[in-house]
Amino acid sequence: MTRTLVVVGHGMVGHRLVETLRERDADNTWRIVVLGEEPRAAYDRVALSSYLDGKSAEDLSLASHELLDDPMVDLRLNTAATGIDRTARTVSTSDGSGLPYDALVLATGSRPFVPPVPGHDLDGCFVYRTIEDLDDIRAAATEGEPGVVIGGGLLGLEAANALRLLGMRAHVVEMAPRLMPLQVDEGGGQVLSRLVGDLGLTIHCGAATKSIDGEDRVRSVTLADGTVIDTGVVVFSAGVRPRDELAQLAGLERAERGGFLVDEGCRTSAENIWAIGECAAVDGRCYGLVAPGYSMAEGVAEQLLSLGEGAFPGADLSTKLKLLGVDVASFGDAHGQTEGALEVVYANNAAGTYAKLVLSDDARILLGGVLVGDASAYSVLRPLIDRELPAPPEQLLLPAGSGIDAGALPADATVCSCNNVSKEDITTAITGQGLTDVPGIKGCTKAGTSCGSCVPMLKNLLAECGVSTSKALCEHFPQSRTELFEIVQATGIGSFSELIGKHGTGRGCDICKPAVASILASLGHGHILDGEQAGLQDTNDRFLANMQRNGTYSVVPRVPGGEITPEKLIVLGELAKEFGLYTKITGGQRIDLFGARVEQLPLIWRRLVDAGFESGHAYGKALRTVKSCVGNDWCRYGVQDSVSMAIRLELRYRGLRAPHKIKAGVSGCARECAEARGKDFGVIATDKGWNLYVGGNGGFTPRHAELLAADLDDEQLISLVDRFLMFYVRTADRLQRTSAWLESLDGGLDHLREVVVEDSLGIGAELEATMQHHVDNYSDEWAGVLADPGKLAHFVSFVNAPDAPDPAIRFVQERGQIRPGPVSLPMPAIPNQEVLT
Ligand SMILES: Cc1cc2nc3c(=O)[nH]c(=O)nc-3n(C[C@H](O)[C@H](O)[C@H](O)COP(=O)(O)OP(=O)(O)OC[C@H]3O[C@@H](n4cnc5c(N)ncnc54)[C@H](O)[C@@H]3O)c2cc1C
Ligand code: SF4
């Protein structure tokens, strides 16, 4: 029999409950009605700040289409639970309905605490909890003006960074003598204050707020020591309070300090009513982190399905985060409150790092620690809490996480605390399921899917399980693609045979030949069909065209930015008629002509080149198109000339050979008609210039590009795209799109930003110079073929009968055009052939 579960609150934890229940309830025993007071389905509140740093509400959403379309789930947004009738077992809602329930789970989260200082309710005062809060703050922010955050804890610093991202000069007011007093100790707090102060924040520690002043809206904030900060924006981030208002209405017990009082199975004082997440006080204690909430959700799902006791296993309150670019981690007994605890501290003021380990009184057991400035040791240290140290403490404290590896962790150590996954769970999945990479582990165990701090450890565990992560390109080259690129660039080697002779073995294969051909082309070593290079290319590159399923080829001339003259359109139409080609407009804003036989390619391209067209590189691992919207010339919303910029970018990077294809887009305003964020690099106009996004793609696993830099002028934009593309070309694996490359980079987007924008490796000028070399030496590949009889001689269907067309190629008519007829030959099997998009 199907029963009804009502879940009140569709936040992170309520959502996890619904997700878990639907995954495990194979017999559909529960129909779930979810009441969500917010106007949108659950989103990643932990990543809320990224909403002001380039992510959209859609990016943050946790609700999958499958869940939203699931007939067993009835999600009611904008609908709050307003009361509970325990006798009738119904929940009343803000839209006036009464919902019967067999089981009820309260997942109402917390509300920000606003201290009752005079003026706290003036216009211009905000809290920092929901997407709507951030929209309000954004609307009120004035660039260059001061903004004040009250509270210097974890969320306060996130809010301060938000003000900074909005161009404001952020002040942080904290009552305690240091920042993040709950997580870090005095030494760590000092380093943290210095590091964030260097980033332009003004910190007022040990300071109480006396009043917020203004008539109808905020004009200034006065501190207890008399300091006055003129500001129009105040953000309260002074802690949270559990949302337990339904307790009184329903006669449920509350904990002394708030929250629905629940036992270790998250059961409230009433039968069939549970509370989970931040609103639940397990044995009297509330938890303000998401991981304990997830454990509670999974435990309650277990109970609902009668799969077990589902007892809350207790919480690991460890935290690791990057605040304003500064790594901060705190784990276990960070403040050394255990009796007799000893502390080992390593501080490097020059480097701005601080690390402390808290040990048992005999210095054998790790109890906790604090890391500021460099938290790379966190993924190794946190699972070791309450365990014997595997190495001397000073060795563990050295930067980059010590000389110890995954082998030092016991099997039951929790590696992913967000999702409660142990080392043994992961190693069993690796060996049992034959996993070979981190995405595989994530998919199978959920480890690494929340805060991501355990991802370095997942890599170590793969290695410990003997999963070879050999960097060798193939059996002929022990080097990775990146290393081969460096070798070719440093030595000037210009041919495959020289490279394999000096640095590899054997004669090469389908993997290394095109990869080396691509490296040689990226570094400007002549035409891709010159001499020996021709034999390295795969079929598409060899004929400078994409082979289609019936063995014919497509012809795709470049149409920079999608802008084309009537004269050129007429040429395309005439050619299509004359050669009987199928024509189709592509998603990349150009025109594909399909159905050309190999011997027709030079004839068609001669006409195209004479008309001013050039290769569109639709066949190559190279820049494809830079799609653009119509921009401010025509569109009334446009704020920049997106067409001119798209043409400039397309002409600059045309012909750039890369590990994979590269697509780009330019939109003339935030409405994003060019879908630039679905591209490897996307440019979106702002009032002040351009925002640059990187690492997007469509395909099997769509990914939105992420903001790399904002409000760039034209020249800044070009130099950053130069650096980004060249860094990608230089360091990505073969066949790795920018999205996968970005995800595989240690440090991800932050690292990329450091290298590309902040030039942390000092290679910015070199990357730009290499790109300029490419730009200066560009020439059209098809024009190069037409000018060289030797190259032209390859374009025949049968080498021993060069004038004979292939008789197997037949067409039929459909909708006024040709399409391939029944294929009498086996489908051509071309390695790495792509569907053209
Ligand atoms: C900026 C920010 C950064 C954070 N960073 C971290 C971090 O790094 N690590 C970490 O572990 N945690 C972090 N957190 C905390 C984390 O987001 C919370 O622990 C988590 O969201 C709690 O989930 P929840 O479902 O219990 O509550 P919530 O996510 O708050 O969801 C509760 C939902 O219930 C709704 N609701 C309330 N009452 C009703 C009602 N009567 N009827 C219907 N709906 C109702 C609310 O509107 C809300 O949508 C952060 C929080 C913020 C704001
Ligand atoms: S993105 Fe903006 S400028 Fe471009 S077409 Fe759309 S609305 Fe117009």
Side-chain angles (χ1 to χ4, degrees):
M1 196 189 73
T2 301
R3 289 169 293 167
T4 301
L5 166 70
V6 174
V7 179
V8 180
H10 196 226
M12 297 185 76
V13 174
H15 177 69
R16 174 58 72 96
L17 170 70
V18 177
E19 210 181 32
T20 311
L21 207 55
R22 290 306 298 140
E23 266 169 30
R24 300 191 194 165
D25 186 13
D27 298 330
N28 289 342
T29 53
W30 288 101
R31 175 182 161 264
I32 311 171
V33 183
V34 191
L35 300 176
E37 187 192 61
E38 291 190 61
R40 59 187 87 242
Y43 50 91
D44 187 351
R45 210 179 294 285
V46 170
L48 183 68
S49 298
S50 62
Y51 181 64
L52 293 179
D53 201 8
K55 291 238 160 128
S56 63
E58 196 183 89
D59 294 334
L60 294 182
S61 177
L62 296 175
S64 65
H65 288 297
E66 292 82 57
L67 196 87
L68 295 175
D69 294 341
D70 187 338
M72 296 300 286
V73 179
D74 175 3
L75 173 60
R76 304 188 188 181
L77 299 176
N78 278 316
T79 312
T82 50
I84 300 167
D85 183 336
R86 285 166 49 192
T87 318
R89 287 205 179 167
T90 54
V91 176
S92 50
T93 67
S94 54
D95 62 7
S97 43
L99 284 173
Y101 67 82
D102 296 298
L104 173 63
V105 177
L106 305 169
T108 49
S110 298
R111 68 160 45 86
F113 170 64
V114 178
V117 284
H120 67 273
D121 48 1
L122 285 171
D123 270 1
C125 288
F126 303 95
V127 292
Y128 197 81
R129 179 90 192 170
T130 65
I131 288 184
E132 286 66 35
D133 292 336
L134 268 58
D135 282 335
D136 292 345
I137 294 171
R138 191 193 327 241
T142 314
E143 232 177 289
E145 295 291 309
V148 175
V149 175
I150 297 184
L154 187 158
L155 296 188
L157 290 182
E158 286 217 17
N161 192 34
L163 293 184
R164 187 168 154 263
L165 287 171
L166 293 168
M168 299 197 78
R169 290 184 286 122
H171 290 249
V172 178
V173 180
E174 168 58 49
M175 290 251 285
R178 61 177 182 277
L179 293 174
M180 291 184 67
L182 294 181
Q183 289 86 8
V184 305
D185 60 351
E186 202 182 320
Q190 274 174 14
V191 174
L192 181 60
S193 283
R194 193 155 54 76
L195 292 174
V196 299
D198 288 348
L199 293 167
L201 262 62
T202 308
I203 308 294
H204 309 261
C205 279
T209 308
K210 187 168 161 230
S211 61
I212 297 166
D213 311 305
E215 292 290 300
D216 46 355
R217 61 167 302 118
V218 177
R219 299 273 169 246
S220 62
V221 172
T222 305
L223 306 185
D225 67 1
T227 307
V228 175
I229 309 165
D230 291 329
T231 183
V233 173
V234 174
V235 182
F236 286 105
S237 192
V240 293
R241 297 289 180 268
R243 292 201 53 183
D244 58 5
E245 51 271 26
L246 287 170
Q248 202 177 2
L249 298 170
L252 299 173
E253 266 184 67
R254 287 178 69 247
E256 206 176 309
R257 302 178 68 184
F260 300 103
L261 185 66
V262 293
D263 64 12
E264 58 176 23
C266 293
R267 289 172 284 256
T268 65
S269 50
E271 207 189 339
N272 291 336
I273 305 184
W274 287 260
I276 56 176
E278 286 195 355
C279 67
V282 185
D283 293 331
R285 177 169 182 187
C286 288
Y287 296 89
L289 293 173
V290 75
Y294 281 172
S295 295
M296 296 180 207
E298 280 161 24
V300 170
E302 236 175 62
Q303 294 172 54
L304 288 169
L305 296 171
S306 305
L307 296 174
E309 287 296 299
F312 177 56
D316 175 0
L317 300 183
S318 304
T319 319
K320 176 180 177 239
L321 60 159
K322 209 177 186 83
L323 285 167
L324 301 125
V326 179
D327 276 335
V328 182
S330 127
F331 51 97
D333 180 8
H335 296 289
Q337 286 165 339
T338 310
E339 208 180 322
L342 304 172
E343 294 187 351
V344 182
V345 174
Y346 170 84
N348 181 340
N349 287 333
T353 59
Y354 174 87
K356 177 180 88 171
L357 291 188
V358 179
L359 308 176
S360 58
D361 53 3
D362 56 1
R364 287 177 49 230
I365 309 289
L366 178 66
L367 300 177
V370 174
L371 304 167
V372 178
D374 174 4
S376 50
Y378 176 80
S379 67
V380 174
L381 293 174
R382 193 199 43 72
L384 286 171
I385 294 175
D386 293 335
R387 298 179 188 269
E388 197 152 328
L389 290 176
E394 58 278 12
Q395 190 181 340
L396 296 171
L397 280 178
L398 288 177
S402 62
I404 65 162
D405 58 25
L409 293 186
D412 61 344
T414 304
V415 169
C416 172
S417 58
C418 294
N419 294 289
N420 200 16
V421 190
S422 69
K423 173 182 168 183
E424 190 174 19
D425 295 335
I426 296 166
T427 50
T428 308
I430 293 172
T431 46
Q433 315 269 331
L435 306 179
T436 55
D437 54 16
V438 171
I441 300 178
K442 286 183 175 180
C444 202
T445 66
K446 280 208 165 83
T449 54
S450 296
C451 77
S453 63
C454 61
V455 168
M457 181 52 76
L458 303 185
K459 291 183 186 162
N460 292 349
L461 289 174
L462 279 167
E464 193 197 316
C465 291
V467 175
S468 152
T469 43
S470 162
K471 59 184 173 51
L473 181 64
C474 66
E475 63 189 279
H476 304 105
F477 285 101
Q479 303 86 350
S480 66
R481 182 192 170 280
T482 309
E483 287 166 342
L484 286 177
F485 191 100
E486 298 299 330
I487 290 171
V488 174
Q489 190 170 38
T491 59
I493 287 176
S495 71
F496 179 80
S497 45
E498 190 183 352
L499 187 67
I500 201 165
K502 289 186 175 157
H503 298 278
T505 52
R507 302 172 66 182
C509 62
D510 279 353
I511 295 175
C512 59
K513 282 181 178 174
V516 171
S518 163
I519 292 173
L520 293 170
S522 301
L523 288 170
H525 286 272
H527 194 284
I528 65 162
L529 299 184
D530 275 347
E532 181 194 271
Q533 285 216 57
L536 305 177
Q537 312 294 345
D538 65 22
T539 308
N540 289 347
D541 276 315
R542 212 171 303 148
F543 293 110
L544 304 185
N546 276 319
M547 190 195 255
Q548 305 300 322
R549 47 188 304 140
N550 66 344
T552 62
Y553 289 84
S554 63
V555 171
V556 191
R558 184 167 298 291
V559 180
E563 184 182 83
I564 187 163
T565 61
E567 290 73 22
K568 283 189 163 175
L569 277 173
I570 289 166
V571 171
L572 293 179
E574 283 173 352
L575 269 172
K577 269 169 91 173
E578 202 173 310
F579 286 86
L581 304 174
Y582 170 81
T583 56
K584 172 112 179 53
I585 293 175
T586 72
Q589 298 184 331
R590 50 190 185 179
I591 297 172
D592 282 13
L593 308 168
F594 289 85
R597 295 194 311 269
V598 67
E599 71 277 9
Q600 291 177 324
L601 289 172
L603 304 172
I604 295 170
W605 273 103
R606 171 86 62 203
R607 296 268 294 279
L608 288 170
V609 169
D610 288 348
F613 285 104
E614 59 181 15
S615 167
H617 292 98
Y619 47 83
K621 306 280 181 280
L623 178 86
R624 297 284 169 85
T625 61
V626 182
K627 183 174 173 177
S628 76
C629 75
V630 75
N632 69 352
D633 276 348
W634 292 93
C635 176
R636 62 204 165 95
Y637 299 113
V639 291
Q640 304 287 347
D641 182 356
S642 51
V643 179
S644 297
M645 180 50 80
I647 293 173
R648 183 170 173 194
L649 292 168
E650 186 156 345
L651 294 182
R652 184 167 181 80
Y653 304 118
R654 64 188 159 173
L656 176 68
R657 294 280 164 162
H660 212 307
K661 63 185 168 188
I662 299 170
K663 296 182 177 184
V666 183
S667 282
C669 80
R671 285 172 181 78
E672 246 288 66
C673 296
E675 297 163 331
R677 289 194 61 201
K679 310 291 183 200
D680 294 275
F681 72 93
V683 177
I684 301 179
T686 69
D687 290 338
K688 296 178 206 132
W690 307 99
N691 283 355
L692 172 60
Y693 296 82
V694 295
N697 65 233
F700 277 120
T701 320
R703 183 182 195 276
H704 257 149
E706 295 178 81
L707 184 69
L708 184 72
D711 293 330
L712 304 164
D713 65 27
D714 289 8
E715 300 319 311
Q716 288 169 328
L717 174 70
I718 299 286
S719 86
L720 290 192
V721 179
D722 277 6
R723 291 180 186 191
F724 164 71
L725 287 179
M726 236 345 132
F727 189 46
Y728 162 63
V729 168
R730 198 160 141 170
T731 60
D733 271 346
R734 60 182 276 279
L735 302 184
Q736 195 175 33
R737 285 288 295 268
T738 55
S739 54
W741 168 69
L742 183 52
E743 277 176 11
S744 71
L745 277 184
D746 263 351
L749 183 68
D750 288 331
H751 174 63
L752 183 68
R753 195 176 281 130
E754 280 160 18
V755 174
V756 170
V757 183
E758 293 152 25
D759 198 12
S760 61
L761 301 180
I763 57 171
E766 186 190 328
L767 295 172
E768 287 178 43
T770 313
M771 184 61 84
Q772 194 55 47
H773 178 78
H774 160 77
V775 175
D776 295 341
N777 289 282
Y778 166 80
S779 63
D780 174 29
E781 285 173 358
W782 261 107
V785 168
L786 297 173
D788 182 342
K791 293 190 178 84
L792 277 173
H794 293 294
F795 288 80
V796 287
S797 288
F798 299 104
V799 178
N800 50 2
D803 296 327
D806 185 340
I809 296 174
R810 294 201 187 87
F811 298 100
V812 294
Q813 288 286 318
E814 190 177 69
R815 294 186 294 275
Q817 297 207 71
I818 58 158
R819 73 167 170 81
V823 181
S824 52
L825 288 176
M827 280 259 299
I830 307 299
N832 309 327
Q833 191 183 1
E834 300 157 21
V835 178
L836 204 64
T837 55

